[in-house]
Every structure is written in C-alpha cells, then in structure tokens.
Amino acid sequence: MMNFSVLNIIGAVFMIFSGLWSFVSYHKHLLNTLLSLEFMMLGIFWLMSLQSLNIGSEIYLGLFFLTLVVCEGVVGLSLLIYIVRSHGNDYFKSFNVLEC
C-alpha cells in the first residue's frame, strides 16, 4: 500500500505535467495558455508545501512564491485585456500582424 505523502507527490507531479501538456497542445487562445500556466504553478506550490511540511514550519518561501504567482497572473490578465481591446479576440492566429 502506498503512503499518503507518495500519493500527494504523484498528484502534484501529475498536475504539473497535465498543465504542461495543455500548455503545449491547446494553444488556440491566450486565456487557455494562461490557465495552464496557473495550473502548473499550483502544482509547484503543492510540491513546495509538501516539502515544507517535511522540513519544518517555514512558510515564508511559499508565501513569497504565491505572491510572485499572483503578480504573474495579474500581468497575464492585463495583457489579455489589452489584446482583447485592441484586436477584438485572443486567438494566437491573429497575433502575427501585431501593430504598435
């Protein structure tokens, strides 16, 4: 029988690889790629929190990581809003003729 912590690690690694797979394969919309990046970051945070439980009660690195993930999400969503307002959609096929 597998240990509970091994199942958590397998779940987090599966979460990271499924986010990576969706990032590589479903690249029609910008919103899909941003969601897959956030899914990968949640998997990495899960692994970091599991590791911090093994080491001790040090959570400041996890909070710093979550702060960076939130900032990355805000920048991605602001770029998405800017692109939708300027081009009318978020298709990657329409980005080859970007104008300044």
Side-chain angles (χ1 to χ4, degrees), residues 23 32-33 45 49 58 67 79 99:
F23 181 74
N32 288 342
T33 57
F45 177 69
S49 64
E58 184 68 36
T67 305
L79 286 174
E99 298 148 356

Side-chain angles (χ1 to χ4, degrees), residues 12-22 40:
V13 170
F14 178 74
M15 198 171 173
I16 293 169
F17 282 121
S18 63
L20 183 66
W21 179 70
S22 67
M40 285 189 298

Side-chain angles (χ1 to χ4, degrees), residues 30-31 34-35 38 70-84:
L30 180 62
L31 185 61
L34 291 175
L35 285 174
E38 290 297 322
V70 167
C71 291
E72 177 255 337
V74 167
V75 168
L77 286 177
S78 64
L79 286 174
L80 177 71
I81 290 170
Y82 175 72
I83 288 171
V84 168

Side-chain angles (χ1 to χ4, degrees), residues 8-78:
N8 277 334
I9 292 172
I10 290 172
V13 170
F14 178 74
M15 198 171 173
I16 293 169
F17 282 121
S18 63
L20 183 66
W21 179 70
S22 67
F23 181 74
V24 171
S25 63
Y26 299 123
H27 50 80
K28 186 176 181 180
H29 295 280
L30 180 62
L31 185 61
N32 288 342
T33 57
L34 291 175
L35 285 174
S36 64
L37 285 174
E38 290 297 322
F39 197 67
M40 285 189 298
M41 290 299 127
L42 282 175
I44 292 171
F45 177 69
W46 191 8
L47 279 177
M48 284 178 61
S49 64
L50 288 174
Q51 187 64 28
S52 70
L53 286 175
N54 289 338
I55 293 174
S57 62
E58 184 68 36
I59 60 168
Y60 295 115
L61 183 64
L63 291 176
F64 180 70
F65 180 75
L66 276 181
T67 305
L68 290 178
V69 168
V70 167
C71 291
E72 177 255 337
V74 167
V75 168
L77 286 177
S78 64

